Amino acid sequence: MSAKSFSRVILTTVLILFLKVQLSLPAPLNGSKWSYIGPDGEKAWPKKYPFCGGVFQSPIDFHRDILQYDSNLSPLEFIGYNVPSTDRFTLTNNGHSVKMYLSPTMHLRNLPFEYTASQLHLHWGNRNKSEGSEHTVSGKHFAAELHIVHYNSEKYPDVTAAMDKADGLAVLAILLEIGPFNPSYEKIFRHFQNVKYKDQMVQVPGFNIQELLPDRPDEYYRYEGSLTTPPCYPSVLWTVFRHPVKISQEQLLALETAMYCTESDDPEPLEMVDNFRNVQEFRERLVFISFREGVVSVVIACILGVLIILAVACWLFKRKSCKKGGEDNREVIYTQGTQKEEEDISKL
């Protein structure tokens, strides 16, 4: 481990200890109203919710300087994710997003603890721009983002008790981009018209939630962060999958236009759009990755580039040498022939 990486690990350990002390204090009671824009928008969150201006905040941008490969990161185990259609999920509009409550038989393993599923929800932009994800990769936004929230069921009885604890939550994040129609996501999206306004609910038949994940769930980013909405508790172990999932342009448009933040009788309905938090600072910390990329791939690419250049240079040099040698041979033969002719003439 380099000196720079070691210092980052030490600093991260100190921050974790500070965080545990901070989270042991009573949660603030002031403030219960927030939004993404306006006077109660993101810039005002820290005034009512102090953790929103604190450490270990999410989302973040994944860029090469903060990535470190960790061979100990193993594939997650998804237990009970295939929920029979006879069971029902409750889908609701909570005024900030569309949320679907999950079955308590769903569990995550191969993490520091076993985590039980609580709910999933989405973040998106609007019909006039393609930016809707919370996490970014090298500064790039994706069309939308799905979060599947789990709580530490080995230590806490429910998600409410776990959400303000340093080791309380584990969230899976799936980045969404435009592509072909996705029948698995349509199992949720087709119900949006039934939760058009705040506090409306609808029952969704059970299905295999693992269908919502990318094809390579073993490749992911892992870091310690926070809830991306108030009260922004820094209590989340994030797993952000490397490969995005595709949904169609029509499906994205349905997500961006179907719902409102306000109740059905509100005289001035507010469209539910741009419900994603901006990227947060990520100072002197590392994101661990389960796949070999970043510095390693850059070094390999550089080595391959140098080898290709050397190979081309050698080929050109050999070609030039062969050409020069051929010309020299022809000159020698020509000279010998001329001398012999002169000798024959002198004997006459």
Side-chain angles (χ1 to χ4, degrees):
M1 181 183 292
S2 66
K4 185 176 180 181
S5 297
F6 180 75
S7 64
R8 282 180 171 177
V9 171
I10 295 297
L11 182 58
T12 299
T13 303
V14 173
L15 284 172
I16 291 172
L17 293 173
F18 168 75
L19 176 61
K20 288 182 177 181
V21 173
Q22 191 179 22
L23 282 174
S24 67
L25 301 174
L29 299 177
N30 58 316
S32 59
K33 182 182 178 182
W34 61 272
S35 65
Y36 286 96
I37 58 173
D40 297 312
E42 187 177 334
K43 291 183 179 180
W45 291 359
K47 297 176 183 177
K48 294 183 178 180
Y49 306 93
F51 285 105
C52 296
V55 296
F56 280 52
Q57 290 299 289
S58 299
I60 63 170
D61 175 59
F62 301 118
H63 55 277
R64 191 175 62 199
D65 293 342
I66 63 172
L67 303 183
Q68 180 169 301
Y69 173 69
D70 185 350
S71 60
N72 294 317
L73 292 178
S74 55
L76 296 171
E77 280 189 61
F78 306 98
I79 311 299
Y81 264 51
N82 192 3
V83 179
S85 59
T86 51
D87 291 353
R88 293 289 185 268
F89 301 124
T90 298
L91 186 72
T92 183
N93 177 336
N94 67 1
H96 302 295
S97 180
V98 58
K99 178 192 293 187
M100 191 170 80
Y101 292 98
L102 300 174
S103 169
T105 60
M106 293 172 54
H107 303 281
L108 271 185
R109 290 179 185 164
N110 273 357
L111 289 169
F113 303 94
E114 180 169 295
Y115 293 81
T116 297
S118 174
Q119 49 96 351
L120 63 77
H121 61 271
L122 290 133
H123 299 271
W124 61 90
N126 65 66
R127 72 190 84 181
N128 297 318
K129 64 180 181 180
S130 59
E131 299 179 353
S133 67
E134 296 206 303
H135 290 91
T136 59
V137 179
S138 297
K140 176 190 174 183
H141 275 273
F142 292 80
E145 185 168 334
L146 174 74
H147 293 165
I148 307 178
V149 181
H150 305 71
Y151 70 93
N152 183 346
S153 49
E154 286 190 27
K155 296 183 67 174
Y156 310 107
D158 53 45
V159 68
T160 302
M163 68 185 301
D164 62 346
K165 308 300 189 299
D167 56 0
L169 303 178
V171 178
L172 307 181
I174 299 97
L175 302 169
L176 304 180
E177 66 180 10
I178 300 301
F181 177 83
N182 191 316
S184 297
Y185 276 76
E186 191 64 17
K187 294 175 183 179
I188 300 173
F189 285 20
R190 67 188 179 202
H191 297 281
F192 286 163
Q193 291 299 321
N194 296 316
V195 290
K196 195 174 186 70
Y197 297 101
K198 183 181 177 183
D199 296 331
Q200 290 184 334
M201 298 183 182
V202 65
Q203 297 299 303
V204 176
F207 64 95
N208 190 352
I209 299 297
Q210 201 165 343
E211 294 176 7
L212 304 175
L213 305 183
D215 291 335
R216 292 293 307 272
D218 58 314
E219 296 188 359
Y220 55 81
Y221 306 91
R222 169 70 52 74
Y223 78 101
E224 294 183 355
S226 74
L227 299 173
T228 62
T229 59
C232 306
Y233 293 132
S235 57
V236 179
L237 182 63
W238 282 97
T239 300
V240 182
F241 294 109
R242 177 189 184 190
H243 301 287
V245 170
K246 298 182 186 299
I247 61 174
S248 70
Q249 183 69 59
E250 292 74 19
Q251 288 177 303
L252 178 63
L253 184 62
L255 178 63
E256 293 170 340
T257 61
M259 289 164 285
Y260 292 88
C261 300
T262 46
E263 297 177 351
S264 58
D265 58 353
D266 196 300
E268 297 181 2
L270 179 63
E271 195 174 14
M272 189 182 289
V273 293
D274 297 326
N275 62 346
F276 60 94
R277 189 185 191 188
N278 290 318
V279 168
Q280 304 296 297
E281 293 184 359
F282 196 75
R283 295 178 179 173
E284 293 300 321
R285 286 189 283 157
L286 290 174
V287 172
F288 297 99
I289 56 177
S290 66
F291 53 92
R292 291 188 178 276
E293 198 177 69
V295 176
V296 174
S297 63
V298 170
V299 171
I300 292 173
C302 290
I303 292 173
L304 288 175
V306 171
L307 290 175
I308 291 171
I309 291 171
L310 288 173
V312 172
C314 289
W315 178 77
L316 290 173
F317 179 77
K318 288 178 69 176
R319 184 180 179 186
K320 186 176 181 181
S321 298
C322 291
K323 185 176 180 180
K324 185 176 181 181
E327 291 174 353
D328 290 344
N329 290 338
R330 284 195 298 273
E331 288 175 359
V332 171
I333 293 170
Y334 175 77
T335 302
Q336 288 177 346
T338 302
Q339 290 176 348
K340 185 175 182 181
E341 288 175 4
E342 290 176 349
E343 289 174 359
D344 291 341
I345 291 171
S346 65
K347 290 178 180 178
L348 293 176

